[in-house]
Amino acid sequence: MVIGDGAYIKKLNRSLILQKIIEHEFISRAEIAKITGLNKATISVQVADLLDAKLVQETQQEHNTVGRRPIMLSINESAGYVLGIDLDFKEIKFQISDLQGNIVETNTIAINTEVYEEILYILIEEIRDYKEKYSTCHYGLVQAIIGVHGTVNNDEWIQFIPRFHWSNKDLKSDIEREVDVKVSIENTANLSIFAERVYKYPESDNMLGIVLISGIGAGIINDGKLVKGHDGYAGEIGHMIISPFGQECRCGNSGCWELYTAEPVVFSQLMERLDRPNLSYNDIKQLLAVSDPTTCEVMKTFISYVSIGLNNMINSYNPETLIINSELLKVYPNAIEEIEENLQSSVSVYQQIVLSDLGKDASVLGACALAIQNFFQVEEVVFSREEVLD
Ligand SMILES: [Zn+2]
């Protein structure tokens, strides 16, 4: 920071004011002054600029008490839109959100290809359609963020997506060359923990999000910021070794955590042992309800392995909130209690372990929230309304 740099301070103040308007949804100039400590003249000038830029709007709030009704400020939520995309194996999910984090529409399309050029073509066509659809508002479609189930480096190149066998793909540039929309690429575990913080746990500055759905990934928030590591690959915890002489892994090591805890692994074990060609989450729930011994045994083993990895992660990060995103644990009664019973080490310290309510939607929600944060150039966004998630 350069002391006395007026333009820089002006930018900081603008960012802080916007952040408070987003967080409070409706707030008066006087309340902003009280919360931020900025003087009223500064707020007045900045708000005038934001009104001019159509980023903020004024409303006179109705209330029953006698006296002057204050003019409230809120985000001009329909001035622009953001697009969150989850590029998953076999399907791509698209979600449009307005600038206040309200979901406007969601659409999932099935894909039966892993070929890069074919998926690229689908993404370009869809993004082009959304850009056209939202072109009439002031800022149009401001950004598309694509979550991928693989590693993404600091330049937003896809380093590796195992399920697609893609490596070193510049998906961002390949799309931006064809459509005039700002595109960003991010790992889905990072987007998921970002959504948890923005929508559910804004007070928690040290969070660990473990996604166990298809592969395994972790999103780490330390002091309120996403932790990405030197190259951008932090959180590849599926390849944490938990059994040194265990099964061989495609990564070249043996005994990696995901060989024991990825949900597809548990499904295939159950299908083989129960001799059933297909199993759904609901089937497993029903088998557990009648205490089927094989299902109970496989699930108990799964939970033991989950606990071993969590123990190691807790010792590494000492999180305040640890969020497990797992459809399989959701069908298991008292999963969290059982995990907590397994975490007996006196040095494993955390405040709370919870199962994610956001589930598979977490990544697109996080993508939209991150795009909004980028658009407003604010330090953080908080959308604390429960109804968004119902
Ligand atoms: Zn491995």
Side-chain angles (χ1 to χ4, degrees):
M1 176 178 166
V2 183
I3 293 178
D5 183 337
Y8 179 75
I9 290 170
K10 208 175 155 197
K11 200 175 153 202
L12 279 185
N13 290 343
R14 175 189 167 102
S15 163
L16 184 59
I17 291 167
L18 269 170
Q19 195 173 309
K20 293 301 163 196
I21 299 173
I22 297 168
E23 187 181 329
H24 290 260
E25 220 180 336
F26 290 96
I27 189 167
S28 68
R29 287 169 175 82
E31 281 172 291
I32 297 174
K34 208 159 98 188
I35 295 168
T36 61
L38 295 173
N39 72 50
K40 285 183 181 166
T42 302
I43 291 169
S44 175
V45 171
Q46 289 275 1
V47 168
D49 276 357
L50 293 172
L51 287 166
D52 260 1
K54 296 198 174 6
L55 292 173
V56 161
Q57 59 194 358
E58 287 181 319
T59 40
Q60 196 145 37
Q61 212 173 43
E62 300 286 341
H63 63 80
N64 299 326
T65 51
V66 183
R68 225 171 64 172
R69 291 175 303 167
I71 292 172
M72 305 300 275
L73 301 166
S74 61
I75 290 299
N76 185 7
E77 74 263 5
S78 54
Y81 292 87
V82 292
L83 173 60
I85 301 174
D86 184 339
L87 174 54
D88 205 350
F89 187 60
K90 298 205 164 150
E91 63 178 36
I92 312 179
K93 186 170 190 176
F94 298 86
Q95 185 164 287
I96 290 279
S97 158
D98 69 21
L99 294 179
Q100 182 58 47
N102 301 303
I103 298 160
V104 176
E105 60 172 309
T106 305
N107 183 30
T108 302
I109 59 173
I111 47 168
N112 51 11
T113 174
E114 294 160 27
V115 178
Y116 179 76
E117 286 71 22
E118 292 176 11
I119 292 175
L120 172 66
Y121 177 79
I122 296 169
L123 288 170
I124 289 170
E125 289 299 299
E126 292 292 324
I127 294 171
R128 190 176 278 145
D129 286 351
Y130 283 113
K131 181 186 159 62
E132 175 63 28
K133 187 169 176 185
Y134 292 94
S135 62
T136 52
C137 64
H138 192 75
Y139 288 98
L141 184 66
V142 298
Q143 191 179 14
I145 295 189
I146 304 173
V148 298
H149 298 247
T151 44
V152 178
N153 74 16
N154 289 332
D155 295 324
E156 298 187 31
W157 276 60
I158 293 169
Q159 189 239 2
F160 187 49
I161 300 184
R163 299 296 290 269
F164 290 149
H165 311 286
W166 293 359
S167 51
N168 298 318
K169 299 287 183 202
D170 191 4
L171 182 61
K172 172 184 163 72
S173 302
D174 289 342
I175 296 172
E176 284 180 341
R177 249 195 313 276
E178 300 295 325
V179 200
D180 182 23
V181 172
K182 192 166 182 276
V183 173
S184 208
I185 313 291
E186 185 55 87
N187 169 273
T188 46
N190 285 347
L191 293 174
S192 299
I193 192 67
F194 190 74
E196 300 286 353
R197 178 164 151 89
V198 168
Y199 282 98
K200 306 287 286 189
Y201 303 94
E203 307 298 332
S204 198
D205 280 343
N206 290 288
M207 302 176 69
L208 200 51
I210 314 282
V211 183
L212 293 176
I213 298 171
S214 44
I216 296 189
I220 304 152
I221 286 183
N222 191 23
D223 287 339
K225 300 271 175 271
L226 267 177
V227 172
K228 295 197 177 186
H230 179 262
D231 299 294
Y233 308 147
E236 283 305 305
I237 53 159
H239 299 280
M240 163 167 65
I241 296 170
I242 60 157
S243 174
F245 306 106
Q247 301 168 43
E248 276 182 27
C249 179
R250 61 188 158 77
C251 76
N253 286 333
S254 296
C256 294
W257 194 29
E258 74 169 32
L259 299 173
Y260 306 89
T261 47
E263 293 194 353
V265 172
V266 182
F267 270 94
S268 54
Q269 277 174 6
L270 276 173
M271 287 191 288
E272 193 188 318
R273 291 191 51 185
L274 297 167
D275 197 20
R276 289 176 62 156
N278 281 303
L279 265 183
S280 66
Y281 289 111
N282 206 30
D283 294 335
I284 295 175
K285 189 177 182 177
Q286 282 168 3
L287 286 162
L288 288 167
V290 296
S291 302
D292 171 70
T294 305
T295 311
C296 292
E297 187 202 319
V298 169
M299 286 298 288
K300 257 204 155 25
T301 308
F302 164 62
I303 288 174
S304 314
Y305 279 120
V306 167
S307 308
I308 291 171
L310 293 181
N311 173 82
N312 298 351
M313 292 300 289
I314 291 166
N315 288 344
S316 306
Y317 289 98
N318 175 216
E320 181 183 6
T321 308
L322 199 158
I323 298 162
I324 309 172
N325 197 334
S326 160
E327 294 299 312
L328 205 45
L329 288 177
K330 274 190 185 165
V331 302
Y332 189 88
N334 308 320
I336 293 298
E337 287 80 351
E338 204 156 303
I339 288 168
E340 285 179 329
E341 274 169 30
N342 292 338
L343 295 171
Q344 289 302 332
S345 160
S346 58
V347 291
S348 296
V349 180
Y350 57 90
Q351 293 303 312
Q352 56 173 346
I353 299 183
V354 290
L355 281 177
S356 170
D357 290 339
L358 305 181
K360 286 185 91 172
D361 294 336
S363 54
V364 280
L365 282 165
C368 288
L370 187 59
I372 293 168
Q373 180 171 305
N374 293 344
F375 175 68
F376 285 119
Q377 295 182 300
V378 290
E379 279 281 301
E380 62 173 37
V381 286
V382 171
F383 302 130
S384 48
R385 288 147 303 137
E386 292 293 321
E387 74 267 22
V388 172
L389 310 167
D390 290 343

